[in-house]
Amino acid sequence: MFGDFFTKQMNELDFIKLVGRFFPSATTSGEGIGDDCAVIPISSGESLTVTTDMLVENVHFRLSTTSPRQLGHKSLAVNLSDIASMGARPIASFMSIARPSALTDKWYEEFIEGYHELSERYRVPLMGGDTTSADDSLAISVTLLGTTAPDHIKRRSAAEEGDAVMVCGTLGDSAAGLYALENGLEGFESLKKAHLEPSPLVEEGLWLGGETGVHAMTDISDGVAKDLRQICDCSGMGAEVELSELPLSQEMLELCDIHGLDPEKTALCGGEDFKLLFTVKESEAKMLCRRFKETFGYAPRRIGRMVSKAGIGWLKDGIGCDKEFNGYIHR
Amino acid sequence: MFGDFFTKQMNELDFIKLVGRFFPSATTSGEGIGDDCAVIPISSGESLTVTTDMLVENVHFRLSTTSPRQLGHKSLAVNLSDIASMGARPIASFMSIARPSALTDKWYEEFIEGYHELSERYRVPLMGGDTTSADDSLAISVTLLGTTAPDHIKRRSAAEEGDAVMVCGTLGDSAAGLYALENGLEGFESLKKAHLEPSPLVEEGLWLGGETGVHAMTDISDGVAKDLRQICDCSGMGAEVELSELPLSQEMLELCDIHGLDPEKTALCGGEDFKLLFTVKESEAKMLCRRFKETFGYAPRRIGRMVSKAGIGWLKDGIGCDKEFNGYIHR
């Protein structure tokens, strides 16, 4: 990167690499390339987990397709998902907002209502923030703190060879919902909602944090293709994924069918699902699914296993296929 | 505010009030209207202090008058100042940045260098963050965590009647520096530096945190006129300030003299000084100043005292004058 002064715009990964050169702490214990949250030990029995996410108008959302209430909800939801993916409990949020003059008082009131509603659901108070005017785009940055027992922390690097690869929730609904919104499609309300008002798996993450059989975990924000690759790379191994086992919703399959989209690609490469991807000791996988289902009313789906060979092998009914999937690319 | 649907743009205070209506936690224990940081107890002997600040292009800075290195420095400095003002020690920072395409790789590298330099000075690692592209303006949001013993926390509400009102450092240099920059003045380098590269009083704040005689403290980000009024309002009393005691730098006085500015107004109403304003038990003030000077090589200046009558009385050589000073108004 530093040899190329003709490159005008740095992409996200280049910027993270630049930060990592100055602050190794940001990419090893921090969120940059490593985990979803930074982990800071605060006492012998407790660690703090910290995550921060920024949403910018016309990059992450359009005011024409999201309501203020939905945007308030989503600003907190994306951070709750990061805390959940570490096996931690959210305790306090902080919000900075740059406010353009075009939005009304009523808009901001509904925005805060949406944020408040989700805060109440998980009893996470907003404890401070900053507010400023903006010349053009609305920008929202939320920082969320969580706590967890140090031995409950689930890192991307902790997968073990032979682990089952599991997913909580269905895949690709958010990407399909975004497609429906951007193309002005009627219906597909649950897909649109999955995109505009994602439900972070806060309780599930906390529960999985307490399971010693669960090794690595991350939330699915960039698509399984990219997020599982992160687990593979951080853990120094690879994975095999059975495409016929991907958990797909009926509505997502319908949209893909009608509009000629590849459901596997939508499921594996779409962004912003905010579901959980984890690996669990193979011998404990079945029992864990049963106990999980007793608690939450649905079971995680086993989609593959961790293997020694690097990279991800995609299988169709047990046979390797030459499909290639890449994750969501952030601007 | 909610009766007026014709108001197009909410100002900062209205937005804070709106947030406070939904989240009392954000304005009592939080930073909104109350203190510079939120305080979260984490163990019997320790509390976490958290602050967050957002800097937006053309609102807080102009790329034509600030270098990337200075902006990196300032992004962290404003938060260090908040942590210092609570009597706490900074432990970790998090940065979110929305990056417009117009800036080069080299620009970002120098920006991170400036941020890194100040991080190193106070041994505060950057532990994570978020990065995204932006369509137009550069926006930077930094969240800083600190820790302190609960009995070291200095709140704005803790002033007592009869306390001496003290200031660490000189006032108005940043406002004068901004004037010099915006009017393209030659010279006045130390004033420009005070604006572009403020030095947060991290060690001083920590030291004052350990002093039981120090009651209330805040950093001077909006000018003494506004910041002292906050201490008065939060503590349920007023103050008298002796104008002839304001600590003013020679260079600031010179600029005011040449350009016809009122030095008292510049000192009391200018923003972004990032010095410390505190109140101390009158009987301990002199001794505290002596010990402070032994440690830091300069003494805080006594500029007035806390009184029972609400509001701030401005004195000139001991006699009340009818001048009125208001603090810096944020956009």
Side-chain angles (χ1 to χ4, degrees):
Chain A
M1 174 180 65
F2 295 104
D4 184 3
F5 286 105
F6 300 102
T7 308
K8 266 197 85 176
Q9 186 174 21
M10 216 178 247
N11 68 24
E12 181 181 327
L13 195 60
D14 287 338
F15 186 79
I16 292 171
K17 278 185 194 158
L18 167 63
V19 171
R21 200 160 57 86
F22 285 92
F23 295 99
S25 54
T27 49
T28 50
S29 62
E31 322 165 53
I33 291 170
D35 288 303
D36 297 298
C37 296
V39 177
I40 304 174
I42 49 175
S43 69
S44 57
E46 217 173 16
S47 283
L48 201 66
T49 53
V50 188
T51 183
T52 188
D53 265 296
M54 194 179 226
L55 300 182
V56 177
E57 186 181 343
N58 297 329
V59 177
H60 300 94
F61 61 88
R62 291 184 204 288
L63 290 175
S64 57
T65 52
T66 186
S67 75
R69 195 180 297 268
Q70 288 166 331
L71 189 60
H73 174 104
K74 190 162 180 173
S75 304
L76 181 58
V78 298
N79 287 283
L80 285 169
S81 184
D82 282 326
I83 293 285
S85 76
M86 299 290 290
R89 178 185 299 283
I91 58 163
S93 77
F94 297 83
M95 182 210 292
S96 288
I97 180 167
R99 298 175 294 112
S101 59
L103 298 173
T104 63
D105 290 11
K106 192 164 158 47
W107 193 96
Y108 287 113
E109 189 174 353
E110 290 179 13
F111 171 79
I112 295 294
E113 273 173 12
Y115 192 96
H116 182 254
E117 204 176 85
L118 195 59
S119 300
E120 286 284 288
R121 191 183 309 167
Y122 297 112
R123 295 163 196 260
V124 189
L126 175 73
M127 291 194 69
D130 193 19
T131 169
T132 171
S133 62
D135 277 349
D136 9 62
S137 304
L138 177 66
I140 302 147
S141 175
V142 171
T143 302
L144 188 63
L145 309 187
T147 55
T148 182
D151 59 354
H152 284 201
I153 295 169
K154 302 302 179 195
R155 297 187 181 275
R156 292 185 192 167
S157 57
E160 295 183 12
E161 203 185 317
D163 277 359
V165 176
M166 317 279 294
V167 167
C168 289
T170 53
L171 299 173
D173 292 344
S174 174
L178 178 60
Y179 181 91
L181 287 165
E182 298 216 317
N183 292 281
L185 307 186
E186 295 278 319
F188 301 111
E189 296 308 328
S190 73
L191 301 179
K192 290 175 185 169
K193 189 171 177 185
H195 181 74
L196 295 171
E197 281 180 75
S199 290
L201 304 181
V202 175
E203 296 299 340
E204 288 89 331
L206 202 54
W207 189 92
L208 291 165
E211 293 290 317
T212 52
V214 174
H215 293 151
M217 184 154 65
T218 184
D219 71 332
I220 306 171
S221 52
D222 299 336
V224 163
K226 195 165 162 188
D227 292 316
L228 180 56
R229 195 161 280 130
Q230 291 260 15
I231 287 182
C232 290
D233 292 350
C234 293
S235 301
M237 60 190 74
E240 281 176 0
V241 172
E242 174 53 59
L243 295 173
S244 59
E245 289 297 333
L246 299 179
L248 309 178
S249 72
Q250 202 50 45
E251 204 168 11
M252 188 275 239
L253 286 168
E254 268 169 37
L255 183 142
C256 288
D257 188 41
I258 298 171
H259 295 274
L261 303 182
D262 178 346
E264 288 166 0
K265 193 173 168 198
T266 306
L268 295 169
C269 309
E272 307 201 329
D273 271 324
F274 303 115
K275 305 304 185 195
L276 292 172
L277 174 69
F278 63 96
T279 81
V280 58
K281 203 171 147 87
E282 180 66 65
S283 60
E284 297 187 18
K286 271 198 180 142
M287 179 62 87
L288 179 128
C289 282
R290 221 187 58 191
R291 288 189 294 109
F292 185 104
K293 192 173 178 184
E294 280 167 15
T295 308
F296 297 106
Y298 72 100
R301 178 78 65 91
R302 186 189 189 289
I303 63 165
R305 63 187 186 107
M306 301 302 294
V307 298
S308 60
K309 191 184 164 209
I312 301 180
W314 306 102
L315 311 180
K316 191 85 185 185
D317 301 320
I319 297 162
C321 59
D322 57 359
K323 287 195 169 180
E324 196 46 62
F325 300 101
N326 294 302
Y328 186 76
I329 305 296
H330 288 275
R331 279 177 60 195
Chain B
M1 174 181 67
F2 295 103
D4 184 2
F5 286 106
F6 299 103
T7 308
K8 267 198 84 174
Q9 186 173 21
M10 219 177 245
N11 68 24
E12 182 181 326
L13 195 60
D14 287 338
F15 186 79
I16 293 172
K17 279 185 194 159
L18 167 63
V19 171
R21 199 159 60 84
F22 285 92
F23 296 99
S25 55
T27 50
T28 51
S29 62
E31 323 163 54
I33 291 169
D35 288 302
D36 297 297
C37 295
V39 177
I40 304 173
I42 48 175
S43 69
S44 57
E46 217 173 14
S47 283
L48 201 66
T49 54
V50 187
T51 184
T52 185
D53 265 295
M54 192 179 228
L55 300 180
V56 177
E57 186 182 343
N58 296 330
V59 177
H60 299 95
F61 61 87
R62 290 183 204 291
L63 291 174
S64 56
T65 53
T66 187
S67 74
R69 194 179 299 267
Q70 287 166 331
L71 189 61
H73 174 104
K74 191 163 179 173
S75 304
L76 181 58
V78 300
N79 287 283
L80 285 170
S81 185
D82 282 326
I83 294 285
S85 77
M86 299 291 289
R89 179 185 299 283
I91 59 163
S93 77
F94 297 82
M95 183 209 292
S96 287
I97 180 167
R99 299 174 295 112
S101 59
L103 298 172
T104 62
D105 290 11
K106 191 164 160 45
W107 192 96
Y108 287 112
E109 189 174 354
E110 290 180 13
F111 170 80
I112 295 293
E113 273 174 11
Y115 192 96
H116 182 253
E117 203 176 84
L118 195 61
S119 300
E120 286 284 288
R121 191 183 308 168
Y122 297 111
R123 295 162 194 260
V124 189
L126 175 73
M127 291 193 69
D130 192 19
T131 171
T132 170
S133 62
D135 277 350
D136 11 60
S137 305
L138 177 66
I140 304 147
S141 175
V142 172
T143 302
L144 188 63
L145 309 187
T147 55
T148 182
D151 59 355
H152 283 202
I153 295 169
K154 303 302 179 192
R155 296 186 182 273
R156 292 185 191 166
S157 58
E160 295 183 12
E161 204 186 317
D163 276 0
V165 176
M166 317 280 295
V167 167
C168 289
T170 53
L171 300 173
D173 292 345
S174 173
L178 178 60
Y179 180 91
L181 288 164
E182 298 216 316
N183 291 280
L185 308 186
E186 294 279 317
F188 300 111
E189 296 307 328
S190 72
L191 301 180
K192 291 175 185 168
K193 189 172 177 185
H195 181 74
L196 296 170
E197 280 180 77
S199 290
L201 304 180
V202 175
E203 296 298 339
E204 288 91 330
L206 202 53
W207 190 91
L208 290 165
E211 293 289 318
T212 52
V214 173
H215 294 151
M217 184 152 66
T218 184
D219 72 330
I220 306 171
S221 53
D222 299 336
V224 163
K226 194 165 162 188
D227 292 317
L228 180 55
R229 194 161 281 129
Q230 292 259 17
I231 287 182
C232 290
D233 292 350
C234 293
S235 301
M237 60 189 75
E240 281 177 358
V241 172
E242 173 55 57
L243 295 173
S244 60
E245 288 298 332
L246 299 178
L248 309 177
S249 73
Q250 202 51 45
E251 204 169 12
M252 188 275 240
L253 286 169
E254 266 170 38
L255 182 142
C256 288
D257 188 41
I258 297 170
H259 294 275
L261 304 182
D262 178 347
E264 287 165 359
K265 194 174 167 199
T266 306
L268 294 169
C269 309
E272 307 201 330
D273 271 324
F274 302 115
K275 307 304 184 192
L276 292 173
L277 173 69
F278 63 96
T279 80
V280 58
K281 201 170 149 84
E282 180 67 64
S283 60
E284 296 186 20
K286 270 197 181 145
M287 181 61 90
L288 177 128
C289 282
R290 222 187 59 191
R291 287 188 295 109
F292 185 104
K293 192 174 177 184
E294 280 168 15
T295 308
F296 297 105
Y298 71 100
R301 178 79 65 91
R302 185 190 190 287
I303 63 165
R305 65 189 184 105
M306 301 303 293
V307 298
S308 59
K309 190 183 165 207
I312 301 179
W314 307 101
L315 311 180
K316 191 85 185 187
D317 302 321
I319 298 163
C321 60
D322 57 359
K323 287 195 170 181
E324 197 45 64
F325 300 101
N326 294 302
Y328 187 76
I329 306 296
H330 288 277
R331 278 178 61 196

